[in-house]
Amino acid sequence: MKSALGALALALAPLLSLAAPGQGHMGQMDHTNMNMAGMNHGPADIGQPAKNPTRDIQIDMGDNMRFTPERIRVKPGETVRFVVKNSGQIRHEFVLGTPADLQAHYQMMLQQPDMPHHGMGNSVSLEAGQTGELIWRFPKQGDVGFGCLEPGHYPAGMQGKVVVE
């Protein structure tokens, strides 16, 4: 009986944490164990977190709702370190994804603006004045989008593109 109750408690724990107030998105959903935040495409579609970058790319995020630069060129198979600085006065983030995935994630952020993003591997969320980094390998040709998915930022134009050619 005890083992059956213990198993039931373990099975229900994730559901109970979603309903608990004050714990994050949807009762605070943590993206840590989600594949690209439940997005339609896995990391293999746009690349994956990596080590040993071949070069650094500086990205600035500002309160003008723009990334500098907005367009980046990399080669297929290249691994880059994005050194991301929030030069603004409010929180911004740099999230890699397909346009469809970024839009879907943005809609989720509208409903759950305090959702933690740690552990996803494809994002850096920074408070004002902070700098962070993300190392990513781009395996194949194509375009990979990036954006700030803080509510209001993405539709205001805070988005860009990595062209892999």
Side-chain angles (χ1 to χ4, degrees):
M1 178 77 171
K2 276 188 177 179
S3 64
L5 288 176
L8 179 62
L10 285 174
L12 292 176
L15 296 174
L16 294 173
S17 69
L18 290 177
Q23 298 213 355
H25 282 311
M26 292 189 342
Q28 307 282 38
M29 181 188 307
D30 184 341
H31 286 184
T32 302
N33 295 315
M34 297 180 72
N35 180 21
M36 296 284 290
M39 297 179 186
N40 299 324
H41 304 279
D45 290 337
I46 64 162
Q48 59 275 337
K51 295 180 181 179
N52 305 316
T54 56
R55 69 176 166 133
D56 290 352
I57 297 174
Q58 306 290 321
I59 304 280
D60 184 69
M61 304 184 293
D63 293 344
N64 62 349
M65 301 301 150
R66 296 292 182 264
F67 288 99
T68 304
E70 292 180 351
R71 183 182 284 289
I72 300 161
R73 294 193 184 283
V74 300
K75 293 180 167 91
E78 188 173 6
T79 299
V80 299
R81 175 187 344 231
F82 292 102
V83 180
V84 185
K85 179 175 172 74
N86 181 351
S87 62
Q89 300 299 307
I90 58 177
R91 183 171 60 184
H92 293 293
E93 60 185 16
F94 174 81
V95 181
L96 292 166
T98 67
D101 290 341
L102 291 171
Q103 186 60 41
H105 189 164
Y106 178 72
Q107 293 304 315
M108 196 184 313
M109 289 295 293
L110 287 176
Q111 296 174 6
Q112 305 163 28
D114 297 322
M115 186 181 335
H117 288 92
H118 58 298
M120 289 177 57
N122 69 322
S123 65
V124 176
S125 184
L126 301 168
E127 296 297 328
Q130 288 184 328
T131 299
E133 65 179 47
L134 151 64
I135 301 174
W136 198 260
R137 182 178 181 278
F138 295 91
K140 60 184 181 180
Q141 284 187 318
D143 294 341
V144 176
F146 59 87
C148 178
L149 304 181
E150 289 292 323
H153 298 198
Y154 192 70
M158 199 162 185
Q159 48 193 285
K161 185 183 296 188
V162 178
V163 178
V164 186
E165 58 182 12

